[in-house]
Amino acid sequence: MPKPTQLAQMISKSPTIAMNDKAKQLAAEGHSVIGLAGGEPDFDTPPHIVEAAINAMRAGETRYAAPSKGISPLLEAIAAKMERDNKVRVDPTSDIIVTPGGKLALFLALKAMLDPGDEVLIPAPYWVSYPSITQMVGGVPVTIETSSDDNYRLRLEHLREHITPRSKALIINSPCNPTGHMLSSEEIESVATLALEEDLYIISDEIYEKLNFDGRPAVSLASIPDIADRVIIINGMSKAYAMTGWRLGWLAGPTELIGVAGKFNSQTATSAATFTQLAAVAALNGPQDCVEMMRQSYQERRDFIVDAFNSIPNMSHPEIEGAFYAFPKVDETSKTSEEVANTILDEAVVVGVPGSAFGITKDAHIRFSFAEDMNKLSEAVDRIRAMAHMLA
């Protein structure tokens, strides 16, 4: 009997999805579960975006999108958004591909740039899918672990220690999932220096760019002139516009690489759905007050959740600069992050994701989403506080 490939056996299910599934199972069994494992806004998609999709379907926009890389109105809207928001100029006819979700955008970018055995530098904590997608296209993920004690900063000398002759790319996520860390000017300079010294591509995952707090600007690495020609931007509609289920992302970057990625896109996904693309046009070109309303709400929840975790004995949390995740650390424990997550699940019936899923091995962290209403967050913290002594 034929067997799946060895590569297939290396790829595990997303830990976030696995924990969400566990939460749903517990809820189905009658438990009072507070599920904070997912990365999904609790807001509905703004009405004007929904209406744009409905009107598009009623107008017959339900056929294959043409061209495959995205309909012209959306390509132009993305290019205008990038110039307006990110100070990045791209040609909408050649430098952008629209995809069914950000994961496929990342897959296409890595597939276009990596030969088998090429290495991708991935600072940790990282989004759980970076290593797996790298492996899926034949690359080798190289983890660069950072520390909450240093506010997860990227240090140039530490980055250099992980360079080999097979190093091909560096993935940057700012604001970061799961820490909320945003690159400082010094870190941006370090990333640029490394990319030029070692001739690296930079994949800049900017999916949380709109969810930045306290007036901190989210800087696109493609706006740095010296490295603009080696930066590939990954972005999409899911987080800023509460459009997770619409599956609409994009990648933008150097013309040659985007052209190669476009070949893979045309042979796999073909295209994103036409009516969702027209909804994205309405989102990008329409009023942005809905985005600011959601950002302010997340910032209020951020203020609550950081103070709350820092008030729990033996737990600590640095400032969260963006995105909508808490990543508290259990300071003095003999437990692994998996044991911490399972103890909290068993005793508090609160679902989070262990820090090991994000590449952290030195300390016991757990990720919780605060993209939930304040009543649920408050109840979750109270439950964790009541059993925190069991985490030692």
Side-chain angles (χ1 to χ4, degrees), residues 142-276:
V142 177
T143 298
I144 304 174
E145 196 161 342
T146 63
S147 172
S148 59
D149 295 336
D150 194 29
N151 199 26
Y152 306 108
R153 293 187 183 279
L154 298 179
R155 303 292 183 180
L156 181 56
E157 291 308 314
H158 189 40
L159 293 171
R160 283 178 174 144
E161 291 171 1
H162 294 79
I163 292 291
T164 77
R166 296 308 302 265
S167 300
K168 191 68 172 288
L170 168 66
I171 298 181
I172 297 295
N173 180 207
S174 178
C176 174
N177 170 10
T179 66
H181 176 65
M182 296 175 65
L183 290 184
S184 65
S185 57
E186 292 80 10
E187 289 173 288
I188 291 171
E189 183 177 345
S190 293
V191 168
T193 298
L194 187 78
L196 293 171
E197 284 181 352
E198 304 297 338
D199 194 25
L200 301 176
Y201 281 117
I202 301 171
I203 297 178
S204 182
D205 183 347
E206 302 178 6
I207 195 71
Y208 295 99
E209 61 163 344
K210 297 287 187 180
L211 307 182
N212 52 317
F213 306 137
D214 305 320
R216 294 181 179 89
V219 177
S220 174
L221 291 168
S223 68
I224 310 302
D226 289 347
I227 58 172
D229 62 351
R230 63 182 64 241
V231 176
I232 298 87
I233 292 174
I234 306 295
N235 210 329
M237 309 303 297
S238 61
K239 312 302 183 179
Y241 296 93
M243 294 176 67
T244 51
W246 296 70
R247 309 315 302 139
L248 207 291
W250 70 80
L251 65 157
T255 302
E256 182 179 13
L257 187 135
I258 294 298
V260 173
K263 295 177 183 179
F264 292 118
N265 185 56
S266 68
Q267 294 287 5
T268 52
T270 301
S271 67
T274 307
F275 53 88
T276 62

Side-chain angles (χ1 to χ4, degrees), residues 15 21 32 61 156 189 220 260 336 350:
D21 290 347
S32 176
E61 297 288 357
L156 181 56
E189 183 177 345
S220 174
V260 173
T336 65
V350 176

Side-chain angles (χ1 to χ4, degrees), residues 80-129:
K81 169 255 179 290
M82 291 177 64
E83 183 169 3
R84 179 179 67 245
D85 295 348
N86 308 116
K87 308 300 184 289
V88 174
R89 287 192 175 186
V90 294
D91 185 339
T93 67
S94 60
D95 299 346
I96 305 170
I97 299 173
V98 176
T99 59
K103 283 184 178 180
L104 184 61
L106 176 63
F107 178 92
L108 294 175
L110 288 168
K111 187 67 176 174
M113 68 178 61
L114 298 181
D115 286 314
D118 282 346
E119 295 175 352
V120 179
L121 307 179
I122 307 176
Y126 49 63
W127 178 44
V128 296
S129 292

